[in-house]
């Protein structure tokens, strides 16, 4: 079979798919939040997240005041609210009031978690890496919360069907939901015999 | 309505969903690759990716030899091959031979791209951040390739339905595909009126 023909597209800042959690910073009476698609787990010991924030973001300023933030994963039903938080700046707009999203206190950090997001991480900043227009914030995950009704039968693991996470697609700028399961990881690859070097 | 009851789950290293590209390093005659779910875009100017690699990985050693790597996004049909690459170490196993994945030369960097993966990034290391058991590698994206048959009508943007990216779900350790479109981003949030502070 003829191999696919590849086209060079130049420099692009896209990976597929991306999560799109709401990241919350808070200091004094002020709480601000924004959707961050450029985020990933960045280590296991310590468990941490790395996320890229544009340096001009008000949420970043608040994160720097306390050294703490929360990461709140929305279900697909929250697309409008998440999108609203990306369209406005916390400098002049109260996104919580506009979206009617509500907060509850975190267990260990100052910024609250978002009640309507069924999965929440509490984080403390470990380091920042300057990256031009953006800064990469690495934060240790110090606590996790999940709505009881999205847990599987063990009561400890998230059932991703119940979480129904909102997914972001760059480029064409779409929100999607997750599709069906294809295979078990750390398992299906055993079908292929290893080849020694 | 009663708000959902949240349960504290302690420290967890999970976000949903995650991409699961094959990251390739090469030096001399040796090419090695592994799936990396802990990866994200990390900036726009310069465009870059940040990924967390366990310090013991052979692919990391190869990346350090050249300061270069490629990121290759598999379609859902490659779940077995991707999983195989995560189950074995390049130290004693030839994953390309085993999976029958093939390579073609990159445009600008030494490590090749994976032909069967329809979307490919060429990257040069900008910096490394020590993060305990893992290292966070930040790499500038210097070129992008896509199979012509996954591009939309503009010929410049990836049609994510055609890409059909493989998705990784942590915790329950599943591969999934992407689901249906819900809404346009940077758009649907305009339905909610802003509220001044």
């Amino acid at each position: 079979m003829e191999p696919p023909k590849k086209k060079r597209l130049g420099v692009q800042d896209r990976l597929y798919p991306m999560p799109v959690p709401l990241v919350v910073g808070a200091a004094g009476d002020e709480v601000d939040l924004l959707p961050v698609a450029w985020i990933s787990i960045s280590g296991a010991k310590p468990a941490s997240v790395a996320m890229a924030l544009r340096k001009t973001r008000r949420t970043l300023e608040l994160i720097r005041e306390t050294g703490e933030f929360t990461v709140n994963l929305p279900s697909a039903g929250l697309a409008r609210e998440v999108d609203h938080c990306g369209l406005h700046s916390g400098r002049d707009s109260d996104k919580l009031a506009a979206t009617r999203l509500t907060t509850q206190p975190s267990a260990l950090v100052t910024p609250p978690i978002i009640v309507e997001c069924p999965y929440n991480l509490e984080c403390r900043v470990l380091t920042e890496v300057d990256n031009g227009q953006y800064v990469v914030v690495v934060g240790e995950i110090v606590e996790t919360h999940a709505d009881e009704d999205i847990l599987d039968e063990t009561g400890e693991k998230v059932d991703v069907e119940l979480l129904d996470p909102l997914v972001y697609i760059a480029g064409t700028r779409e929100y999607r939901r997750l599709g069906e399961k294809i295979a078990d990881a750390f398992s299906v690859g055993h079908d292929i015999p290893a080849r020694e070097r």
Side-chain angles (χ1 to χ4, degrees), chain A residues 26-28 30 58-68:
Chain A
E30 189 178 346
R58 178 63 185 150
T59 304
L60 177 61
E61 292 172 359
L62 294 173
I63 290 170
R64 284 171 168 164
E65 287 200 37
T66 62
E68 298 173 336

Side-chain angles (χ1 to χ4, degrees), chain A residues 171-186:
Chain A
T172 49
R173 294 183 157 198
E174 303 168 5
Y175 296 112
R176 289 189 170 248
R177 28 167 52 101
L178 207 58
E180 77 269 25
K181 179 173 169 179
I182 298 168
D184 288 310
F186 300 94

